[in-house]
């Protein structure tokens, strides 16, 4: 009986450590995703707000090819949810148009 209790205790400790490691890994992934989204959309879209879309997510990224540069308007950025390895789901595309020149 004592060996069973000891095994259960060690198993519980191991599971707790693994859960802690996953939590830290998720926090790092979320922070990295927030930075990538902000960079992809040239700071116009807050990464933290995007990560809270659709009930919250751990991983998202800006497109490698569709990245916004406000110095070159019109322009756009695309952001994708990463639900699993090798999978992406489109979250949104932001299109920014320049203001027309004022009439004199």
């Amino acid at each position: 009986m004592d060996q069973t209790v000891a095994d259960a205790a060690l198993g519980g400790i191991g599971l707790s450590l693994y859960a802690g490691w996953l939590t830290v890994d998720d926090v790092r992934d979320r922070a990295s995703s927030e930075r990538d989204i902000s960079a992809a959309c040239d700071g116009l879209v807050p990464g933290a707000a995007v990560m809270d879309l659709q009930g919250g997510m751990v991983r998202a990224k800006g497109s490698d090819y569709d990245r916004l540069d406000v110095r070159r308007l019109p322009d756009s950025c695309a952001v994708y949810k990463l639900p699993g390895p090798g999978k992406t789901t489109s979250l949104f595309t932001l299109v920014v148009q320049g203001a027309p020149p004022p009439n004199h």
Side-chain angles (χ1 to χ4, degrees):
M1 180 73 166
D2 290 334
Q3 184 62 39
T4 303
V5 172
D7 289 344
L10 286 175
I13 291 170
L15 286 174
S16 294
L17 291 173
Y18 180 68
W21 176 76
L22 287 178
T23 300
V24 169
D25 196 41
D26 287 350
V27 168
R28 279 192 222 136
D29 285 349
R30 181 180 168 105
S32 175
S33 294
E34 289 175 8
R35 288 189 300 273
D36 185 59
I37 292 164
S38 183
C41 294
D42 208 7
L44 295 177
V45 176
V50 171
M51 297 304 290
D52 291 335
L53 292 174
Q54 298 180 350
M57 64 194 82
V58 175
R59 294 172 188 86
K61 68 177 263 136
S63 170
D64 292 333
Y65 305 103
D66 194 4
R67 296 179 86 81
L68 180 78
D69 183 347
V70 294
R71 297 169 296 181
R72 293 186 347 242
L73 296 179
D75 207 357
S76 64
C77 65
V79 176
Y80 300 91
K81 180 179 182 177
L82 304 173
K87 298 178 182 176
T88 59
T89 303
S90 179
L91 283 173
F92 66 87
T93 299
L94 172 68
V95 178
V96 178
Q97 300 289 329
N103 292 331
H104 291 272

